[in-house]
């Protein structure tokens, strides 16, 4: 009906032979064709046409059952009409209830035909009764979801349930707790029926039923008031208490405690009137009556469950905390005075029950007495628990008085030091105090949160480093590392003020530099600090370092010590927009070190520093001259197959390439081509392929945005666009034994691309990536799998023609010697199960056979992935599957 040359009623007349045929199959085809026409043109129908068609379709509902689906299709189209005559919605609904057997045709088909008209509400109980009859006995999950949605609308839109309230509850509650979430949203509207059902379900032997019931109760408590709950509180409390006291399941216990907390919170929100009782007090009296006496039992059998219940109730609100704490704390404090074993119970309760200071204020003296008494015990677990509670008490303003604070410091100092003088303990030479020194170091860092404390503690730690540097045997490497970590912790937690900035700049950093310089010269302690480094490196100027006895002019860049090269990455890695003196001379000496040093860490650090500096250097002839000179030196060294410095030259080439690639320098293309040429080199081919991982990924120490490097946006995408074709071409032209090098390079590049770019480029690269899965190199396999797995979650159309090749390569990898490869391949197989069923069903049997072996893998993580993947593949093609 795309033209106005004919009316829909005329169309019906044209179909009359089919619509009135004596053969049900012919009538069905006629109704089907008419319904398809209506689906296309229902927006252009007149009210008169809709009225006639509604009457026709209602009459067809009485026809042969095979025609009913086509009738429902037509009624669904008519229900969308904006000119649906008054009363038609009610008429359609009554016909559906009367003439359609829901379980034969599906609830979804029937109720899709029900127009969403306000006049349906006028049916009141008749609509509810018809709905209950339609839903009763439904098993199809899709229909159940629709039924739950309709039931929720019936309730929330205020339909008159009348005498069918209980029937509606029964017809939906029979699915509880099989389908928990949708049912819960409906059942909460029937408190008088739901709460008895929850109590009944809690008597079940099924753990899942108990958990779902308790979770439903917690959900109800968030929307109910005390009026809905009051009649059921004793029974609900009895059920929750039983589950927490008797269950061996942590999930049931957790759900029970959450439900108790939710109930208490609900009662706390109740509004009290002059003639109403306080529901919260009544409920907590029940809780306290059943739990309090267990705290005093000699065998402590039910102490922990009782304490957990009391904690859950207390933590619901401030009012609840006041009520519970006022009863429980005196009991626990009294018990501690006669039995020490109650102490841990007391402290565990306090650790969760602490809230407002006014809750604990009446018990301040008794609490402090108990805490200090426990700190004096020899039991380590009691001391630890007491220290935790003391921490909590200290966090509450006004709980600890000044004498209490002083007493706490005395006890904690004794526990940390077991001596009277912290400095004496740190610098003691006795071999039995190593653990004590470690505690002292950690304690100094912990307390150094204010400037006045930092000014006292930092010099002590620096003095310890100086003592270690002199060669004293009382300090181990672990202790020196602990000191450095403590200094870092102090710097992290110290307030960022100008005062503290001057302190670190004038005291801490120069001392650390001095110690580091001595270590570089002596080859002992290594650290990573470099400030005011350029003149120190180039000219050996040590005049700014306090308390040093170094030679006045040392040639630091000629030192071949690992510790020194930790310095030189700092100028290249950290400085930004700073004028570096003697820049060209510094680059020259770094280039020399990068190409001639025989120490891998040294020449790598020098190359990183060189790269960091040229990345930030302003563009121009000066920079171009340096780059061209360095490139000539690199090329000469690499072209000389007998040179002993080829590895160093290649390392510098890679870092130079990355530095220029990030900033889109024109010379980066020349350097990249140089790297490509080395992929055919007998000695450097594998390293050339691996270097693409460095070029495409973020470096943690240099050439990243946190180091203020010049990093242009989308440089990875640009690199891929310019060079992926070269790699594919090289792969196609390479000998069979050398193809893996190109596969490795390509997998590194693709794996570091953003996902959207991967999805876009996957069709063109898919043949090469499939070939990479057959490569014996496990690094190539893993990188390729990591690239494929996210792409398979949203696969391109081109994948459908490559499935056989993909499965033939993926499935053998599930038995790879590498655990990471096995896991990644199983994740890819799992992702493939989400493809349309007609595409993957032919591979189901093959995949299930292959997944049988990983189920017995010796590694738990592999078994876990195999179970997930095999479960999804089992559902493919199975009745009730996806």
């Amino acid at each position: 009906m795309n033209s106005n040359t004919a009316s829909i009623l005329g169309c019906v007349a044209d179909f009359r032979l089919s619509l009135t045929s004596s053969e049900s199959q012919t009538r069905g085809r006629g109704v089907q064709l008419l319904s398809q026409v209506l689906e296309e043109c229902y927006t252009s129908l007149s009210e008169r046409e809709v009225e006639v068609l509604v009457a026709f379709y209602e009459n067809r509902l009485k026809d042969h059952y095979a025609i009913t689906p086509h009738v429902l299709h037509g009624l669904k189209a008519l229900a969308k009409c904006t000119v649906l005559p008054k009363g038609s919605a009610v008429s359609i609904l009554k016909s559906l209830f009367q003439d359609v057997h829901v379980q034969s045709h599906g609830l979804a088909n029937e109720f899709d035909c029900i127009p969403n008209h306000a006049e349906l509400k006028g049916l009141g109980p008749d609509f509810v009764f018809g709905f209950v009859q339609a839903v009763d006995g439904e098993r199809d999950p899709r229909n159940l979801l629709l039924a739950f949605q309709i039931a929720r609308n019936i309730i929330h839109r205020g339909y008159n349930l009348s005498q069918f309230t209980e029937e509606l509850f029964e017809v939906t509650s029979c699915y509880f707790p099989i389908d928990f979430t949708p049912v819960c949203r409906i059942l909460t509207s029937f408190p008088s029926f739901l709460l008895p059902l929850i109590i009944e379900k809690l008597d079940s032997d099924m753990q899942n039923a108990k958990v779902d019931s308790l979770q439903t109760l917690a959900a109800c408590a968030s929307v109910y008031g005390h009026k809905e709950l009051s009649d059921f509180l004793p029974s609900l409390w009895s059920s929750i208490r039983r589950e927490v006291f008797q269950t061996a399941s942590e999930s049931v216990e957790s759900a029970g405690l959450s439900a108790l907390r939710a109930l208490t919170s609900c009662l706390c929100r109740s509004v009290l009137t002059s003639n109403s009782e306080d529901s919260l007090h009544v409920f907590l009296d029940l809780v306290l009556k059943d739990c309090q006496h267990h705290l005093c039992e000699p065998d402590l059998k039910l102490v922990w469950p009782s304490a957990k219940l009391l904690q859950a109730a207390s933590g619901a609100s401030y009012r609840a905390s006041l009520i519970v704490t006022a009863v429980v704390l005196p009991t626990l404090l009294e018990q501690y005075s006669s039995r020490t074993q109650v102490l841990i119970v007391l402290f565990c309760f306090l650790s969760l029950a602490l809230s407002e200071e006014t809750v604990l204020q009446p018990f301040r003296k008794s609490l402090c007495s108990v805490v200090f008494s426990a700190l004096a015990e020899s039991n380590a677990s009691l001391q630890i628990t007491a220290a935790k509670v003391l921490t909590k008490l200290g966090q509450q303003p006004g709980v600890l008085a000044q004498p209490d604070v002083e007493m706490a410091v005395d006890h904690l100092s004794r526990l940390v030091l077991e001596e009277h003088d912290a400095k004496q303990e740190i610098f003691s030479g006795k071999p039995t105090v190593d653990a004590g020194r470690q505690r002292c170091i950690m304690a100094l860092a912990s307390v150094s949160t204010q400037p006045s404390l930092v000014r006292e503690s930092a010099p002590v730690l620096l003095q310890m480093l100086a003592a270690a540097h002199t060669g004293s045997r009382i300090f181990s490497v672990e202790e020196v590392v602990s000191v450095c970590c403590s200094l870092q912790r102090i710097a992290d937690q110290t307030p960022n003020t100008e005062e503290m900035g001057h302190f670190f700049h004038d005291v801490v950093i120069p001392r650390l530099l001095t110690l580091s310089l001595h270590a570089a010269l002596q080859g002992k302690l290594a650290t990573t600090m470099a400030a005011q480094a350029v003149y120190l490196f180039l000219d050996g100027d040590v005049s700014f370092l306090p308390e040093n006895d170094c030679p006045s002019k040392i040639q630091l860049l000629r030192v071949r010590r690992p510790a020194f090269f930790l310095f030189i990455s700092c100028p290249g890695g950290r400085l930004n927009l700073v004028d570096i003196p003697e820049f060209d001379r510094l680059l020259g000496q770094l280039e020399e070190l990068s190409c001639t040093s025989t120490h891998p860490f040294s020449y790598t650090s020098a190359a990183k520093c060189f790269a960091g500096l040229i990345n930030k250097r302003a563009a121009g002839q000066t920079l171009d001259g340096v780059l061209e000179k360095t490139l000539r030196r690199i090329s000469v060294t690499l072209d000389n197959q007998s040179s002993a410095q080829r590895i160093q030259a290649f390392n510098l080439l890679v870092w130079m390439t990355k530095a220029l690639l990030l900033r889109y320098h024109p010379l980066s293309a020349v350097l990249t081509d140089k790297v490509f040429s080395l992929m055919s080199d007998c000695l450097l081919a594998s390293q050339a392929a691996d270097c693409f991982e460095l070029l495409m990924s973020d470096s943690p120490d240099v050439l990243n945005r946190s180091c203020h490097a010049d990093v242009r946006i989308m440089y990875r995408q640009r690199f891929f666009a310019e060079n992926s074709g070269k790699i594919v071409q090289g792969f196609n032209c390479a000998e069979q034994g050398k193809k893996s090098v190109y596969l490795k390079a390509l997998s590194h590049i693709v794996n570091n691309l953003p996902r959207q770019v991967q999805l876009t480029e996957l069709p063109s690269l898919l043949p090469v990536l499939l070939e990479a899965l057959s490569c014996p190199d496990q690094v190539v396999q893993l990188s390729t799998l990591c690239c494929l797995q996210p792409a398979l979650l949203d696969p391109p159309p081109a994948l459908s023609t490559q499935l056989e090749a993909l499965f033939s390569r993926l499935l053998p990898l599930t038995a790879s010697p590498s655990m990471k490869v096995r896991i990644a391949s199983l994740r890819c197989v799992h992702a493939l199960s989400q493809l349309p069923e007609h595409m993957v069903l032919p591979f189901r049997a093959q995949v299930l056979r292959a997944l049988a072996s990983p189920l017995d893998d010796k590694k738990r993580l592999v078994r876990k992935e195999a179970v997930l993947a095999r479960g999804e593949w089992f559902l493919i093609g199975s009745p009730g599957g996806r």
Side-chain angles (χ1 to χ4, degrees):
M1 292 296 293
N2 294 325
S3 67
N4 296 324
T5 58
S7 68
I8 188 64
L9 297 182
C11 188
V12 173
D14 293 337
F15 294 163
R16 65 181 181 277
L17 293 179
S18 298
L19 296 175
T20 59
S21 172
S22 59
E23 296 291 332
S24 61
Q25 187 176 7
T26 303
R27 294 198 306 276
R29 285 199 296 267
V31 174
Q32 181 183 14
L33 180 58
L34 179 60
S35 297
Q36 289 173 346
V37 173
L38 287 176
E39 184 65 32
E40 295 294 329
C41 67
Y42 67 87
T43 56
S44 61
L45 297 179
S46 67
E47 183 175 345
R48 174 57 183 163
E49 290 174 327
V50 173
E51 183 179 4
V52 173
L53 289 169
V54 167
F56 168 75
Y57 273 96
E58 287 178 353
N59 183 267
R60 291 299 91 197
L61 286 174
K62 298 178 174 61
D63 205 339
H64 194 275
Y65 72 89
I67 302 176
T68 303
H70 307 309
V71 178
L72 295 176
H73 185 195
L75 285 173
K76 180 181 178 181
L78 292 172
K80 300 176 185 177
C81 293
T82 57
V83 293
L84 190 69
K86 185 176 181 180
S88 295
V90 173
S91 177
I92 292 174
L93 188 62
K94 288 183 176 180
S95 297
L96 290 173
F97 284 152
Q98 179 179 346
D99 299 319
V100 177
H101 184 253
V102 177
Q103 275 68 33
S104 300
H105 301 284
L107 187 74
N109 289 328
E110 177 179 353
F111 279 91
D112 270 350
C113 307
I114 300 178
N116 188 19
H117 282 258
E119 63 187 62
L120 294 181
K121 193 173 181 180
L123 284 174
D126 291 338
F127 177 82
V128 177
F129 177 71
F131 172 74
V132 169
Q133 282 189 318
V135 175
D136 192 18
E138 181 61 59
R139 295 183 178 180
D140 190 319
R142 294 166 295 183
N143 292 340
L144 285 174
L145 288 175
L146 178 59
F148 296 148
Q149 179 182 347
I150 295 172
R152 191 180 183 192
N153 291 340
I154 290 173
I155 296 167
H156 289 183
R157 293 175 183 174
Y159 280 68
N160 182 11
L161 305 182
S162 187
Q163 68 270 27
F164 300 113
T165 301
E166 186 170 0
E167 282 74 8
L168 180 59
F169 175 79
E170 291 292 340
V171 82
T172 52
S173 65
C174 65
Y175 300 102
F176 176 81
I178 297 173
D179 197 328
F180 167 67
T181 304
V183 178
C184 176
R185 295 171 180 169
I186 301 168
L187 299 185
T188 52
S189 302
F190 304 96
S192 59
F193 298 113
L194 174 60
L195 295 176
L197 176 65
I198 290 176
I199 295 170
E200 176 187 341
K201 294 293 184 182
L202 286 174
D203 291 330
S204 168
D205 293 331
M206 297 177 58
Q207 299 293 329
N208 289 341
K210 292 177 182 289
V211 173
D212 287 345
S213 299
L214 291 167
Q215 290 177 348
T216 303
L217 178 58
C220 293
S222 65
V223 295
Y224 287 171
H226 75 282
K227 291 182 179 180
E228 290 85 357
L229 295 172
S230 57
D231 292 339
F232 302 97
L233 286 176
S235 298
L236 290 172
W237 161 242
S238 178
S239 298
I240 293 173
R241 180 194 60 197
R242 182 186 67 244
E243 296 307 324
V244 175
F245 276 1
Q246 299 178 5
T247 186
S249 168
E250 291 186 6
S251 59
V252 174
E253 179 186 74
S254 176
L257 295 175
S258 297
L260 176 60
R261 187 179 298 108
L263 285 175
T264 308
S265 179
C266 173
L267 297 176
C268 290
R269 297 192 299 268
S270 60
V271 179
L272 299 179
T273 60
S274 58
N275 57 352
S276 66
E277 64 178 357
D278 188 346
S279 300
L280 178 63
H281 268 286
V282 173
F283 182 66
L284 290 181
D285 284 344
L286 289 174
V287 177
L288 290 167
K289 178 182 177 182
D290 290 339
C291 294
Q292 183 182 1
H293 67 279
H294 290 304
L295 302 178
C296 308
E297 291 179 352
D299 59 1
L300 302 180
K301 181 179 179 180
L302 293 177
V303 165
W304 292 114
S306 298
K308 290 178 181 178
L309 288 167
L310 291 169
Q311 291 163 12
S314 176
S317 72
Y318 176 60
R319 279 185 64 206
S321 181
L322 281 175
I323 296 171
V324 175
T325 303
V327 176
V328 173
L329 276 188
T331 302
L332 291 174
L333 292 171
E334 180 182 352
Q335 287 298 306
Y336 173 69
S337 64
S338 59
R339 291 207 305 274
T340 306
Q341 62 264 40
V342 183
L343 181 64
I344 296 179
V345 179
L346 168 65
F347 287 164
C348 289
F349 178 83
L350 283 176
S351 66
L352 295 177
L354 290 174
S355 54
E356 299 290 336
E357 60 179 282
T358 53
V359 176
L360 300 175
Q361 193 64 38
F363 309 100
R364 184 184 63 79
K365 291 185 178 180
S366 299
L367 282 172
C368 291
S369 175
V370 170
V371 169
F372 296 150
S373 177
L375 289 174
E377 295 279 353
S378 58
N379 187 313
S381 62
L382 291 181
Q383 293 174 337
I384 292 172
T385 308
K388 290 180 179 178
V389 175
L390 184 59
T391 302
K392 292 285 186 180
L393 292 174
Q395 292 171 348
Q396 301 299 319
V399 173
L400 295 181
Q402 184 61 32
D404 299 327
V405 174
E406 295 174 359
M407 180 68 73
V409 171
D410 290 340
H411 280 287
L412 294 176
S413 298
R414 177 184 56 80
L415 292 176
V416 171
L417 304 176
E418 297 182 356
E419 295 287 344
H420 296 293
D421 190 338
K423 291 188 179 182
Q424 291 177 1
E425 181 73 14
I426 286 181
F427 295 100
S428 171
K430 294 182 292 184
T432 59
V433 296
D434 289 352
R437 280 202 300 268
Q438 289 279 29
R439 290 195 300 271
C440 291
I441 294 168
M442 295 174 63
L444 283 176
S446 298
V447 301
S448 300
T449 58
Q450 300 299 320
S452 58
L453 294 172
V454 173
R455 289 183 177 277
E456 297 294 331
S457 61
V460 173
L461 295 176
L462 290 170
Q463 188 179 351
M464 183 178 177
L465 289 178
H469 179 67
T470 60
S472 173
R473 302 181 64 86
I474 64 171
F475 296 119
S476 66
V477 174
E478 290 78 10
E479 288 171 328
V480 173
V481 171
S482 179
V483 172
C484 294
C485 292
S486 295
L487 284 170
Q488 181 180 356
R489 179 179 176 183
I490 291 173
D492 290 337
Q493 67 191 19
T494 301
N496 187 15
T497 63
E498 183 178 358
E499 176 191 3
M500 282 291 93
H502 282 298
F503 173 74
F504 277 95
H505 180 77
D506 297 338
V507 177
V508 179
I509 294 177
R511 287 179 179 270
L512 288 174
L513 256 178
T514 302
L515 292 172
S516 300
L517 180 58
H518 277 287
L521 295 174
Q522 298 175 11
K524 292 185 178 179
L525 183 63
T527 185
T528 57
M529 179 63 67
Q532 304 169 334
V534 174
Y535 283 116
L536 175 65
F537 297 154
L538 293 178
D539 301 325
D541 183 1
V542 296
S543 59
F544 69 95
L545 298 177
E547 303 178 13
N548 75 84
D549 54 358
C550 303
S552 58
K553 293 292 183 179
I554 55 175
Q555 298 182 354
L556 204 54
L557 286 177
R558 296 184 182 180
V559 177
R560 301 297 192 265
R561 298 279 173 82
F564 161 70
F565 289 99
L566 286 168
F567 280 125
I568 66 175
S569 63
C570 295
R574 298 294 174 186
L575 298 182
N576 186 43
L577 304 177
V578 174
D579 291 331
I580 301 177
E582 304 289 349
F583 187 86
D584 294 336
R585 187 156 67 98
L586 178 62
L587 281 180
Q589 296 207 27
L590 288 172
E591 175 193 325
E592 182 68 20
L593 287 169
S594 302
C595 293
T596 59
S597 174
T598 58
H599 189 279
F601 183 80
S602 302
Y603 64 68
T604 301
S605 298
K608 286 181 180 182
C609 184
F610 185 91
L613 291 170
I614 63 172
N615 173 262
K616 303 185 187 73
R617 185 65 165 169
Q621 294 183 353
T622 302
L623 176 62
D624 292 343
V626 172
L627 295 176
E628 292 172 0
K629 169 179 167 294
T630 305
L631 180 57
R632 285 195 298 272
R633 179 173 184 173
I634 291 175
S635 299
V636 169
T637 304
L638 290 175
D639 293 342
N640 183 3
Q641 296 289 332
S642 61
S643 173
Q645 298 172 346
R646 296 188 77 217
I647 295 294
Q648 293 90 321
F650 172 75
N651 181 71
L652 181 57
L653 171 65
V654 172
W655 283 104
M656 277 184 63
T657 304
K658 184 174 181 68
L660 300 182
L661 167 66
L662 295 179
R663 61 179 288 179
Y664 288 175
H665 192 281
L667 194 59
S668 64
V670 178
L671 297 176
T672 303
D673 289 340
K674 185 65 179 178
V675 174
F676 277 127
S677 69
L678 295 175
M679 294 177 68
S680 59
D681 189 278
C682 296
L683 298 178
L684 298 177
S686 179
Q687 292 171 272
D690 284 331
C691 82
F692 287 97
E693 170 69 19
L694 187 151
L695 293 178
M696 296 293 286
S697 61
D698 292 325
S699 301
D701 48 358
V702 294
L703 294 178
N704 57 62
R705 288 185 172 89
S706 65
C707 296
H708 310 292
D710 185 357
V711 181
R712 305 298 176 89
I713 61 172
M714 301 178 68
Y715 77 90
R716 293 183 177 89
Q717 292 90 316
R718 176 174 176 172
F719 184 84
F720 173 81
E722 293 177 350
N723 298 291
S724 59
K726 299 177 183 177
I727 296 182
V728 174
Q729 182 181 0
F731 169 80
N732 293 329
C733 298
E735 301 174 2
Q736 188 63 36
K738 296 182 179 180
K739 287 181 179 291
S740 62
V741 176
Y742 294 91
L743 293 175
K744 182 185 291 188
L746 182 63
S747 65
H748 285 320
I749 295 174
V750 175
N751 201 35
N752 283 283
L753 290 174
R755 183 182 174 189
Q756 290 303 317
V757 180
Q758 290 179 346
L759 294 176
T760 303
E761 301 295 338
L762 186 61
S764 61
L765 297 177
L766 192 56
V768 182
L769 293 176
L770 291 176
E771 190 70 26
L773 292 178
S774 302
C775 177
D777 192 322
Q778 293 177 0
V779 175
V780 177
Q781 294 173 354
L782 182 60
S783 180
T784 305
L785 289 169
C786 292
C787 169
L788 279 175
Q789 193 260 336
L792 294 178
L793 298 175
D794 187 13
L799 183 65
S800 60
T801 62
Q802 301 283 349
L803 281 179
E804 185 172 356
L806 182 57
F807 279 110
S808 66
R809 290 164 172 79
L810 269 182
L811 295 180
L813 294 180
T814 61
S816 168
S818 168
M819 183 187 74
K820 292 182 178 180
V821 172
R822 297 200 300 275
I823 291 175
S825 61
L826 287 169
R827 287 175 178 170
C828 289
V829 173
H830 187 179
L832 286 170
S833 69
Q834 305 305 308
L835 294 178
E837 189 171 290
H838 70 277
M839 294 175 59
V840 295
L841 186 59
F843 303 98
R844 179 177 181 269
Q846 178 187 359
V847 172
L848 291 178
R849 285 194 301 270
L851 293 181
S853 178
L855 291 175
D856 296 325
D857 197 278
K858 60 183 179 180
K859 295 294 186 181
R860 181 184 61 82
L861 294 177
V862 177
R863 296 196 300 271
K864 176 183 175 183
E865 295 295 338
V867 168
L868 295 174
R870 200 162 189 256
E872 290 296 326
W873 277 91
F874 257 121
L875 293 176
I876 296 175
S878 302
R882 62 178 180 84

